[in-house]
Structure formats: C-alpha cells, structure tokens
C-alpha cells in the first residue's frame, strides 16, 4: 500500500510504501514549497540504501549509506555550491 498524505493546501507531505504496516521501499518527504527534502529506501522498516537530505532549492546537502537501519559506508556533506564539505566512512555506525 502506498501512502501520500497532503497538507491543508493539498501539498504532498510524503509518499511511502508499506507492507503489512511496515515501511518498505521508497520514501520521500517534501518541504512546504513542494521540493523533495528527504529520500531513502526502506527494507522491513529499516533505512537501507543511500539516505539523501536536500535544501529548499533541491540541492543535495547530505548523503549517507545505511544497511538495515545502521549507518554503514560513505557519508558526504555538501556546500550549497555542490562541492563537498567532508566525507567519511562508517562501519556499524562508527566513524572509521
């Protein structure tokens, strides 16, 4: 089942797939101006894949890799001009 709740102005708040009441598959949330502000993939209710956070203009601010709900892999933060501020790796949630 896919949920797409809207605000009082009929703007999309988020869209998410659920299987048996558990988040499964793609998830996106939206800012008040209608741009995507967050997206990730979920498996059995856990973040699983690259979590992306965006600013109000739609520019990527942060990308972090998750494996079954735990930060695992590359994490990268970006300036507004899209250049990298920093990048590091995590293993089981801990910075290497």
């Amino acid at each position: 089942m896919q949920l797409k709740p809207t605000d009082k102005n009929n703007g999309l708040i988020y869209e998410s797939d659920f299987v048996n009441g558990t988040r499964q598959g793609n998830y996106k949330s939206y800012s008040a101006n209608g741009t995507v502000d967050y997206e990730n993939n979920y498996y059995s209710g856990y973040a699983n894949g690259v979590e992306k956070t965006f600013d109000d203009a739609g520019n990527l601010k942060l990308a972090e890799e998750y494996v079954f709900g735990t930060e695992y892999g590359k994490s990268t933060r970006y300036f507004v001009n899209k250049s990298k501020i920093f990048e590091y790796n995590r293993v089981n949630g801990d910075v290497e």
Side-chain angles (χ1 to χ4, degrees):
M1 167 175 48
Q2 187 174 60
L3 292 180
K4 292 184 174 184
T6 57
D7 62 22
K8 64 182 179 181
N9 298 317
N10 209 30
L12 194 58
I13 298 170
Y14 71 85
E15 51 188 323
S16 183
D17 297 315
F18 287 85
V19 175
N20 296 324
T22 301
R23 187 169 281 146
Q24 178 81 15
N26 295 323
Y27 174 88
K28 288 183 182 180
S29 64
Y30 297 86
S31 66
N33 68 8
T35 61
V36 174
D37 64 3
Y38 173 86
E39 65 180 23
N40 202 346
N41 189 60
Y42 282 80
Y43 182 79
S44 295
Y46 294 100
N48 195 54
V50 179
E51 175 184 275
K52 296 177 182 176
T53 305
F54 302 89
D55 65 19
D56 286 341
N59 298 309
L60 183 62
K61 292 189 321 186
L62 179 65
E64 296 181 303
E65 295 178 9
Y66 280 80
V67 175
F68 300 112
T70 301
E71 287 181 272
Y72 199 104
K74 186 167 49 173
S75 181
T76 309
R77 184 171 295 275
Y78 298 90
F79 286 107
V80 174
N81 68 6
K82 302 176 186 168
S83 64
K84 292 180 187 177
I85 296 173
F86 62 81
E87 184 174 88
Y88 57 88
N89 284 311
R90 288 186 181 261
V91 175
N92 293 324
D94 297 323
V95 176
E96 283 189 314

